[in-house]
Amino acid sequence: MTAARSSPLVDARTAYARRAHSVFIEVAPWRVMAPGPDPIQGSVPGAIRTSVRSDFAGRPTATSGHLPLPEPGAVHAALLAHGVGPADDLVLYTRRIEELSSAARAWFVLTWAGFRSVRVLDGGLPAWTRAGGPTGRAGRTRPAAPLQGCSVRSPTSSPPPLPLPADGGRRVLDAADVLEIADYGTLLDSRPRGVYDGAPDDPRTGHVPHAVHAHAVELLAPDGLLRSPTEMRKWFLHRRAIGSHEVGAYCGGGVSSALLVLAGALLGQQVGLFVDSWSAWARDESLPVERGAALTRSAAVDTDCA
């Protein structure tokens, strides 16, 4: 899938052509997504290496999910240490096509924290190499370009004020929001079907009542690229997730569901993210759980795309 310059997605050929103007950030997943050695040696030359758990998640608490949002200031400070500021052009990628949702999680966190130009490399490192992009050693090799009239920032400088409010246009959901969206909007569960259905002998497995099964990997074509806008729009419409009603998404810890938020942004549909997701929901016994197929909601619930 290709994307315009203002899109949160960038194709590999465009990223390669603009490589001198961008900062590449390699995002490692929070857990191993596929066995065996990396199919591609090396990284985008000069890329900053990060990981979901250490850079795009905060410290878990007794009531949070296992990958809560970090503090916005911590996100800025971490990138400032690499000479990267909120106005730099950032391109996020993963090493494997199965890991694209990790780049989507990083995109969500960075834009929520106020970074202005953040895009995900469609197809990740495999697409980069197919487009003729070289591989080499990771590691920041140049300071960020200074803003007009400003000097280059030192890694020891104090972080500048956040350029935007700490939401960046992203909608972060809490448990009350999730219950309301499940009843009156569309709540998407991006986990595999077996996890969504739950175990008959475990009452705290399953899904949020009325949540629609929407396995995030279905958005990827066999070559690892996101499906075309037309295909994704049909996919969202089939799940009643396009319209003026509220749409939300969750998974186990706010990673695979971040891919649904990214896809929604490409289609002009805001999708709120329940970052704490099932890892927090299942621990709170005051919250309801449904197993098997989602129960049918009232026909009176209008979601604009029946």
Side-chain angles (χ1 to χ4, degrees):
M1 175 179 177
T2 60
R5 178 69 179 83
S6 59
S7 169
L9 192 73
V10 61
D11 65 89
R13 289 186 181 277
T14 301
Y16 179 61
R18 289 188 48 82
R19 63 193 182 281
H21 305 283
S22 302
V23 177
F24 288 83
I25 299 179
E26 183 175 299
V27 185
W30 72 275
R31 61 182 175 85
V32 175
M33 302 294 291
D38 282 346
I40 299 174
Q41 297 299 311
S43 303
V44 174
I48 298 170
R49 280 185 169 163
T50 63
S51 73
V52 168
R53 184 175 291 280
S54 63
D55 297 287
F56 303 112
R59 186 183 299 275
T61 69
T63 58
S64 76
H66 62 254
L67 294 169
L69 284 174
E71 291 294 326
V75 178
H76 282 257
L79 289 190
L80 185 66
H82 293 281
V84 178
D88 286 315
D89 182 54
L90 308 182
V91 176
L92 312 173
Y93 73 92
T94 53
R95 300 191 61 78
R96 299 173 184 258
I97 60 176
E98 303 93 344
E99 299 167 352
L100 186 64
S101 60
S102 294
R105 166 63 181 244
W107 165 83
F108 183 92
V109 171
L110 287 167
T111 54
W112 164 82
F115 284 77
R116 300 170 187 168
S117 178
V118 186
R119 294 172 295 156
V120 171
L121 179 60
D122 195 11
L125 190 60
W128 170 265
T129 59
R130 290 198 303 268
T135 58
R137 295 182 61 182
R140 185 86 163 127
T141 57
R142 64 174 180 86
L147 298 177
Q148 186 175 4
C150 299
S151 59
V152 176
R153 295 175 298 274
S154 165
T156 58
S157 301
S158 298
L162 298 186
L164 295 172
D167 63 13
R170 306 277 80 84
R171 175 90 195 277
V172 178
L173 308 177
D174 59 23
D177 296 324
V178 167
L179 288 169
E180 183 174 354
I181 292 173
D183 282 339
Y184 300 107
T186 298
L187 181 66
L188 303 174
D189 184 321
S190 69
R191 300 173 299 162
R193 169 63 73 173
V195 182
Y196 170 89
D197 286 343
D201 58 349
D202 187 344
R204 298 308 294 175
T205 61
H207 55 268
V208 176
H210 307 309
V212 178
H213 183 245
H215 197 192
V217 299
E218 295 172 8
L219 294 175
L220 297 179
D223 59 3
L225 301 178
L226 280 174
R227 296 190 180 277
S228 71
T230 298
E231 290 177 298
M232 289 199 295
R233 185 172 182 83
K234 288 180 179 178
W235 190 89
F236 271 75
L237 282 169
H238 181 68
R239 290 157 180 80
R240 299 171 64 89
I242 293 285
S244 60
H245 62 292
E246 284 208 74
V247 179
Y250 74 94
C251 53
V255 177
S256 71
S257 49
L259 188 58
L260 302 188
V261 181
L262 178 71
L266 289 165
L267 300 173
Q269 174 69 50
Q270 185 182 61
V271 179
L273 182 62
F274 181 37
V275 177
D276 286 331
S277 282
W278 194 255
S279 56
W281 188 277
R283 290 204 312 269
D284 187 345
E285 297 198 3
S286 70
L287 296 173
V289 173
E290 182 175 87
R291 293 187 298 281
L295 299 178
T296 303
R297 291 175 297 173
S298 168
V301 176
D302 180 13
T303 59
D304 293 340
C305 56

